Amino acid sequence: MMSNVPGVRPPSLPSLVRMQDRMTFLYVEHCVVNRVDNAVTITDSRGTVHVPAAALSVLMLGPGSNITYAAICLLAESRSTCIWVGERGVRYYCHGASLAQSSRLLEAQAKLVSSERTRVKVARRMYAMRFPNEPTDGLTMQQLLGKEGTRVRRAYEHESERTGVPWSGRSYKVMDFDDADDVNRALSAANTALYGVVHAVIVALGCAPGLGFIHARNERSFVYDIADLYKVDITVPLAFDLVSQQVEDVASAARRAVRDRMKDGKFLQRCVRDVRSLLLTDDELAAEPLDAQDITAQLWAGASGYRDGGRNYAPERSIEEGLDKTRGYTDTDISARIPVNDTDDSYAWYENPDDMMSAPDDCCEGR
């Protein structure tokens, strides 16, 4: 009988906190995560903090963190999810159960990607988000890629002129990260960090990382699609700034700079909003229950009540000198394409543009 089962009884579904009232993405590192009754405990050298599991959306486990079997069971019972990430969440490694309580977003994604007509329609919306002043009606996928490639080349050239850093084109070898100039290594490092954050958001929402609309035939195609929305205004200027500052190790500096750019939570809010707006119509968004509309709206702060999301409440941590100038970029973007023929604006269809490199922590994806 149920009364003979040892341990704490799982919370009933009606007792779980609504999604809009839950804590947002909670990041921890160098700690032990355990369970006491229906609370997750986080213990480090400073002491122990109790977090009600039913009030938690996503627990992001960074370097040096250990989690017990009991804690994982509690998170699953409370419809919370757990994601293993790099420092400050800039790399995604794996995840537990999805945060989503329904397959609505996943079904919408699968339906849209399964038809050439709707797939191109979503691609046009992505292009319109990156280039709000560019008309997209009636453009084919190849035409979209051609226009995008032209704009991206100009973006690289603009950053080269702004910073004085020489630019000879995007160049990298997937299996040899060091065989590239400083700016290309900085770009690859920054983009890899961006992919980690975007991947975490996608799986937390219950979407499929492999079902892309522009990129295809890769387990992270949708990750690349969404990350492309933000590169030119985040990772591209950041990489050129770091090289112009003559930072000793541009790959490590780029990774840490993206980490600091993400820690206030505002990027997570934008990324969640953009994914949902791409997959659902305006009517579908308006018809959704309130508890499904925003998982990053509020923070639960215990006795002090709720606080607004999108803000970092942790003490500031020191970073290396020279990186402060890399902060503060806005959240819109485009991504690079390799031209098939420079004379006719035709560009290759990307089937497997990025392969994760097997390398030490500071090594990055070749893109």
Side-chain angles (χ1 to χ4, degrees):
M1 295 178 63
M2 194 67 180
S3 59
N4 296 326
V5 177
V8 179
R9 183 184 297 273
S12 62
L13 188 60
S15 69
L16 296 180
V17 180
R18 293 188 309 168
M19 194 60 63
Q20 68 174 13
D21 295 330
R22 290 192 178 203
M23 187 183 299
T24 182
F25 292 72
L26 175 63
Y27 172 84
V28 299
E29 63 180 29
H30 301 292
C31 64
V32 175
V33 181
N34 205 340
R35 170 182 183 170
V36 173
D37 296 331
N38 280 324
V40 171
T41 62
I42 302 170
T43 304
D44 63 9
S45 59
R46 297 168 295 180
T48 300
V49 174
H50 290 68
V51 181
L56 181 64
S57 294
V58 181
L59 178 63
M60 304 177 76
L61 298 176
S65 57
N66 293 282
I67 188 166
T68 66
Y69 175 88
I72 287 291
C73 289
L74 177 60
L75 291 172
E77 292 164 356
S78 303
R79 303 297 302 180
S80 302
T81 191
C82 188
I83 299 175
W84 282 260
V85 297
E87 188 178 12
R88 291 288 179 179
V90 297
R91 280 194 178 182
Y92 162 87
Y93 295 114
C94 63
H95 69 282
S98 166
L99 176 64
Q101 296 189 35
S102 76
S103 59
R104 181 164 186 164
L105 277 176
L106 179 59
E107 290 174 0
Q109 181 187 11
K111 181 179 179 180
L112 291 170
V113 81
S114 299
S115 164
E116 183 66 20
R117 180 182 62 83
T118 55
R119 185 171 183 170
V120 173
K121 183 178 179 180
V122 174
R124 290 176 186 147
R125 293 173 64 186
M126 291 180 174
Y127 186 88
M129 292 170 67
R130 290 175 286 201
F131 312 113
N133 298 322
E134 292 276 349
T136 61
D137 293 342
L139 294 181
T140 65
M141 187 71 78
Q142 289 289 55
Q143 289 172 328
L144 290 173
L145 295 178
K147 286 182 174 292
E148 180 187 20
T150 300
R151 291 288 297 268
V152 172
R153 287 204 305 272
R154 291 174 183 169
Y156 285 129
E157 293 167 358
H158 169 75
E159 293 300 326
S160 177
E161 294 175 0
R162 180 181 67 84
T163 60
V165 174
W167 174 252
S168 57
R170 188 74 171 102
S171 175
Y172 65 88
K173 293 181 179 179
V174 173
M175 301 308 297
D176 190 355
F177 176 76
D178 292 324
D179 188 20
D181 57 24
D182 284 346
V183 69
N184 272 286
R185 285 190 287 117
L187 283 166
S188 294
N191 287 344
T192 296
L194 178 64
Y195 296 151
V197 179
V198 171
H199 201 149
V201 170
I202 287 173
V203 297
L205 290 174
C207 298
L211 295 182
F213 295 89
I214 297 175
H215 299 88
R217 299 181 182 177
N218 184 278
E219 63 180 359
R220 303 177 82 191
S221 293
F222 193 47
V223 176
Y224 302 141
D225 281 356
I226 299 301
D228 280 357
L229 300 177
Y230 316 109
K231 285 181 182 173
V232 159
D233 280 344
I234 297 179
T235 61
V236 173
L238 184 152
F240 278 89
D241 280 344
L242 289 175
V243 175
S244 69
Q245 296 168 24
Q246 298 182 337
V247 177
E248 183 176 352
D249 186 347
V250 293
S252 295
R255 180 171 58 84
R256 290 192 296 269
V258 174
R259 172 198 68 189
D260 294 328
R261 171 65 179 80
M262 301 299 175
K263 68 181 182 180
D264 64 2
K266 293 181 180 178
F267 178 80
L268 290 175
Q269 284 186 315
R270 179 184 176 90
C271 194
V272 168
R273 185 170 61 249
D274 287 345
V275 170
R276 291 168 53 78
S277 67
L278 285 169
L279 299 181
L280 300 177
T281 65
D282 292 340
D283 291 340
E284 288 173 331
L285 288 170
E288 282 205 322
L290 289 176
D291 61 352
Q293 291 184 5
D294 190 356
I295 65 172
T296 63
Q298 291 186 315
L299 298 170
W300 185 86
S304 60
Y306 291 94
R307 298 184 182 180
D308 291 337
R311 175 182 170 187
N312 177 34
Y313 289 96
E316 285 293 329
R317 298 176 60 186
S318 61
I319 58 174
E320 291 185 4
E321 291 184 9
L323 294 183
D324 285 341
K325 294 181 181 179
T326 66
R327 298 178 177 181
Y329 295 111
T330 54
D331 300 327
T332 54
D333 169 45
I334 39 187
S335 104
R337 308 282 174 208
I338 298 176
V340 175
N341 186 331
D342 284 332
T343 62
D344 63 3
D345 266 352
S346 61
Y347 285 77
W349 176 275
Y350 274 56
E351 292 188 346
N352 189 6
D354 298 80
D355 293 308
M356 190 59 118
M357 299 176 61
S358 299
D361 187 48
D362 284 339
C363 184
C364 298
E365 195 168 349
R367 180 155 177 178

